[in-house]
Amino acid sequence: MAAATVLNGNAPSADWPGRYHHVDQILDKPGPRTDPSFLAGPGVKEFLRDQCKILVIGAGGLGCEILANLALSGFKDIHVIDMDTIDISNLNRQFLFRPKDVGKPKAIVAAEFIMSRVPGVTVTPYYGKIQDKDDDYYMQFNLVICGLDSVEARRWINATLVNLVDPENPESLKPLIDGGTEGFKGQARVILPTITSCYECSLDMLNKPTAFPICTIANTPRLPEHCIEWASVLEWPRVQGDKKLDTDNPEHIQWLYQVASARAKEFKIEGVTWSLTQGVVKNIIPAIASTNAIIAASCCNEAFKIATSSSAYLNNYFMLIGTDGVYSFTFEHQKRDDCPVCGGESLDITISREWTVDRLIEMLVERQDIQVKKPSLSSGGKQIYFQAPPQLEEATRPNLEKKVLELVEDGGDITVTATTLPFNLTLRVKYT
Amino acid sequence: MIKIWSMKKNEDAAAKKKPKTSAAQIRVQKDLTELDLPSTMKTHFPDPADLLNFTLTITPDEGMYKGGAFVFSFVINANYPHEPPKVKCIPTIYHPNVDLEGNVCLNILREDWKPVLNLNSVMVGLQYLFLEPNADDPLNKEAAEELRRNREQFIYNVKSAMRGGNIKGVQYDRVLV
Ligand SMILES: [Zn+2]
């Protein structure tokens, strides 16, 4: 262990002869489906091992597998972000963690483990939220892999990487490889921001968390889950008033557990336990180590293929369904024109510093290439002018007389929506 | 690395950078400014700058709830439209699908919510509850039973509750316009 750690600080010497013998079979000569730009030999190896910087988001079930796979396939500059600490229940599948690590940050323990086991690899951890980091941080990577269980975090990183794309700068386009699992099911996908369908484009394909009809949980509970939902959705707000339910607070879970148990007893339902209560309110989906391994492996193969151009990469959605035999399916998920993140159009406009909002709207309506009727405008989440509802129209009407310059800075964006637009339109404003 | 940029050159439209406005914000803007509400429904924003918290008042012009004004609170979170808006009925009303805490039994608010639905769909769904109260999905069991057993008595109770009456020991809020 100690020797390996020493080697770690000294990357070149860590590459003993034959270390990458197997991987090099792929990198030393082109195959029938390799990209024409593939440069077999030292160039691609040097890029992979000395230049390529990859970010792994999430150091949980998928993240542990992803980190190990990347390190063993030759990526040497790996960064990892995770905001969680290690819980004893993680140890059955998050194999970079040991009982002594319980309570410590996942990102830091995972990074140390990989570095001590795979000489020459640097894993830089960040214990915190992805939202703590700015565009400059994400700009430094060549590739991003996500192994997350939160829809919200995925939507955030997806939007951030789409926003990062700068038409003047090829380096700003960061491929995003997204893995996800749910029990025996999983998916891996390659998102080329602004080019292929993005995470937001496929939002309506997601399995939504199981929600039971509220009248069922109120009147005719049959399952232990109905009793738990009754406790959390109906009883908590009724009894606790405005106090917010914190699903990470064991006392809150305990309260729900007791209330749900009493209800279950009344209706002669069995199976309400503390852990089921926690599972239902936190919407915990059973995680299966082998599904994580399959999906993580698939994500890392894509990262390797994209980083080296050695083979055709996934276009663009791989689905694994292991609940009823084994079924897998790969298809090209289509980009949506009305996607609020990558869809819609963007237009650079240059207007006079004297122009009022009213004048700008008039211009939008007149322009043949936009074809917009009754547009509503906002900038950075602030309303500029809304056509409806009546109260907001009235509240924003005084802005019509104001100069655009007073509301939007030079180079700023305006989000335009209208019934006639299936999507939204973004205006980038410059003043003369 | 694969040469992604060259693929980009072939794309004509979507080649431009997008704004910092979140997807949820854009959706809410689109949903709100494209609301197509009949005169029986009105939104109110306590803080017009905050699009994520507002109320909807429904004043049915037909059916047994005619003459009442029913106020609902809407709370939209950052995960909209993946998650539905949270809707509650503010006054205590006598309705088979609304409980005394203001919870509403409307399928698209929970089990049947989809991101393709919007605020307009939810509002229209709520209005429908006043035209066709549904005894099969009860949240107020007393009211549902009454509706099933004796429609005349149910309508009488609705009118009385709307005036601020007391039905079977429950005090309802006066909601007459
Ligand atoms: Zn998209």
Side-chain angles (χ1 to χ4, degrees):
Chain A
M1 212 59 145
T5 318
V6 173
L7 277 175
N8 215 16
N10 194 357
S13 67
D15 282 347
W16 55 89
R19 176 175 189 176
Y20 297 113
H21 175 74
H22 292 94
V23 173
D24 286 351
Q25 312 284 311
I26 296 163
L27 299 180
D28 280 332
K29 49 185 183 295
R33 291 202 67 197
T34 41
D35 193 273
S37 68
F38 176 57
L39 298 168
V44 65
K45 292 185 211 167
E46 195 197 303
F47 175 77
L48 176 66
R49 292 165 199 163
D50 298 331
Q51 289 168 28
C52 190
K53 207 178 209 187
I54 187 163
L55 173 66
V56 178
I57 300 179
L62 277 169
C64 283
E65 294 275 357
I66 291 170
L67 288 167
N69 287 344
L70 291 177
L72 293 171
S73 45
F75 286 90
K76 284 189 166 167
D77 189 356
I78 304 169
H79 290 237
V80 60
I81 302 189
D82 196 298
M83 60 183 281
D84 281 340
T85 53
I86 298 161
D87 185 80
I88 188 135
S89 66
N90 301 145
L91 301 183
N92 66 352
R93 62 190 186 282
Q94 301 180 15
F95 55 87
L96 302 179
F97 311 141
R98 298 291 175 266
K100 67 172 169 50
D101 301 322
V102 168
K104 292 184 196 160
K106 289 185 177 180
I108 293 171
V109 175
E112 281 168 2
F113 193 105
I114 295 287
M115 288 199 285
S116 71
R117 279 293 285 275
V118 191
V121 172
T122 307
V123 183
T124 311
Y126 174 69
Y127 167 45
K129 293 164 88 169
I130 51 175
Q131 290 88 347
D132 297 345
K133 299 293 190 182
D134 61 8
D135 285 359
D136 287 344
Y137 174 81
Y138 291 105
M139 198 66 191
Q140 65 179 310
F141 301 104
N142 298 96
L143 274 167
V144 179
I145 302 192
C146 271
L148 286 163
D149 57 4
S150 139
V151 173
E152 210 171 338
R154 280 200 181 95
R155 287 178 77 188
W156 190 89
I157 188 68
N158 174 67
T160 300
L161 294 183
V162 172
N163 287 336
L164 205 60
V165 177
D166 172 357
E168 311 296 317
N169 178 12
E171 296 295 308
S172 65
L173 204 152
K174 317 285 178 193
L176 170 65
I177 301 166
D178 179 55
T181 67
E182 235 187 81
F184 286 114
K185 292 193 256 180
Q187 87 280 332
R189 56 193 296 193
V190 169
I191 294 168
L192 304 177
T194 71
I195 295 178
T196 66
S197 129
C198 79
Y199 186 73
E200 192 82 19
C201 288
S202 59
L203 207 56
D204 53 3
M205 275 178 62
L206 292 179
N207 289 329
K208 50 187 163 61
T210 344
F212 302 104
I214 202 160
C215 24
T216 302
I217 63 175
N219 299 308
T220 49
R222 296 180 306 276
L223 301 172
E225 287 85 353
H226 293 157
C227 302
I228 297 165
E229 290 258 299
W230 179 78
S232 64
V233 177
L234 297 173
E235 283 300 277
W236 179 276
R238 192 180 68 81
V239 177
Q240 307 278 357
D242 284 338
K243 190 161 145 195
K244 216 172 142 38
L245 176 65
D246 174 6
T247 56
D248 287 324
N249 184 331
E251 281 170 29
H252 290 190
I253 300 289
Q254 182 63 24
W255 188 91
L256 295 177
Y257 168 57
Q258 280 166 352
V259 172
S261 299
R263 173 114 172 141
K265 204 169 162 201
E266 185 189 332
F267 285 88
K268 301 190 173 56
I269 295 168
E270 280 174 29
V272 173
T273 61
W274 202 91
S275 69
L276 184 71
T277 306
Q278 190 190 34
V280 169
V281 298
K282 292 186 81 169
N283 191 32
I284 297 176
I285 295 139
I288 296 187
S290 41
T291 310
N292 282 344
I294 298 169
I295 295 301
S298 169
C299 289
C300 293
N301 279 354
E302 294 315 311
F304 181 85
K305 290 189 280 180
I306 290 170
T308 60
S309 322
S310 57
S311 202
Y313 58 88
L314 167 65
N315 182 26
N316 53 30
Y317 204 116
F318 165 73
M319 199 183 245
L320 172 78
I321 299 164
T323 41
D324 195 12
V326 185
Y327 173 73
S328 75
F329 182 55
T330 301
F331 65 102
E332 185 178 349
H333 187 269
Q334 297 295 325
K335 204 168 186 299
R336 268 179 42 193
D337 281 344
D338 60 349
C339 172
V341 172
C342 75
E345 287 183 48
S346 175
L347 203 65
D348 287 313
I349 55 164
T350 305
I351 61 173
S352 153
R353 308 177 78 85
E354 299 304 314
W355 272 30
T356 58
V357 171
D358 203 20
R359 178 74 189 84
L360 174 67
I361 291 177
E362 200 179 304
M363 187 272 279
L364 290 175
V365 174
E366 278 166 10
R367 270 183 78 144
Q368 286 300 316
D369 57 337
I370 310 178
Q371 301 270 337
V372 61
K373 279 190 195 120
K374 301 186 99 186
S376 293
L377 281 61
S378 69
S379 182
K382 284 205 181 71
Q383 304 156 40
I384 296 177
Y385 180 69
F386 273 21
Q387 303 276 354
Q391 185 200 354
L392 298 182
E393 192 279 330
E394 207 172 299
T396 54
R397 203 185 301 153
N399 284 345
L400 288 174
E401 307 300 315
K402 287 190 190 156
K403 287 179 185 161
V404 181
L405 184 66
E406 292 173 50
L407 303 162
V408 186
E409 54 175 20
D410 194 34
D413 291 312
I414 298 179
T415 302
V416 182
T417 60
T419 15
T420 48
L421 294 169
F423 40 80
N424 59 292
L425 169 73
T426 303
L427 300 177
R428 260 192 303 174
V429 186
K430 284 241 160 31
Y431 300 100
T432 50
Chain B
M1 280 286 285
I2 51 161
K3 299 267 181 291
I4 313 166
W5 202 253
S6 53
M7 299 162 51
K8 202 165 170 55
K9 296 261 157 62
N10 307 328
E11 298 273 322
D12 35 294
K16 298 262 173 72
K17 198 171 164 172
K18 302 284 296 167
K20 297 282 174 225
T21 311
S22 79
Q25 279 173 321
I26 298 175
R27 252 306 288 267
V28 172
Q29 172 174 335
K30 199 161 167 60
D31 278 17
L32 285 175
T33 56
E34 292 170 22
L35 281 179
D36 186 15
L37 298 179
S39 57
T40 49
M41 287 197 270
K42 246 192 191 90
T43 52
H44 175 73
F45 295 78
D47 172 7
D50 178 5
L51 299 179
L52 305 180
N53 292 284
F54 58 91
T55 62
L56 172 76
T57 304
I58 303 179
T59 47
D61 60 358
E62 55 180 314
M64 43 192 124
Y65 289 91
K66 184 176 171 180
F70 304 94
V71 185
F72 292 84
S73 64
F74 277 65
V75 177
I76 300 170
N77 72 21
N79 221 2
Y80 184 78
H82 178 61
E83 285 173 28
K86 288 200 169 35
V87 176
K88 286 217 166 187
C89 184
I90 297 174
T92 307
I93 66 167
Y94 181 79
H95 191 294
N97 312 115
V98 181
D99 73 11
L100 302 178
E101 309 302 317
N103 295 300
V104 184
C105 189
L106 179 64
N107 62 337
I108 56 170
L109 280 177
R110 271 177 76 80
E111 69 275 14
D112 291 331
W113 171 258
K114 295 180 199 71
V116 291
L117 295 170
N118 57 26
L119 294 174
N120 210 78
S121 346
V122 170
M123 292 175 183
V124 169
L126 289 173
Q127 163 144 293
Y128 187 73
L129 285 182
F130 289 100
L131 301 178
E132 292 288 337
N134 174 3
D136 296 332
D137 296 332
L139 268 186
N140 181 334
K141 266 200 239 172
E142 296 281 343
E145 236 157 76
E146 200 66 75
L147 172 61
R148 212 177 298 131
R149 226 178 32 210
N150 184 347
R151 201 177 163 89
E152 290 301 304
Q153 180 64 39
F154 175 78
I155 294 174
Y156 178 82
N157 287 353
V158 167
K159 299 290 174 207
S160 149
M162 280 167 43
R163 284 193 303 269
N166 188 307
I167 295 154
K168 296 205 171 142
V170 179
Q171 180 62 50
Y172 291 93
D173 287 331
R174 185 184 159 87
V175 290
L176 292 182
V177 188

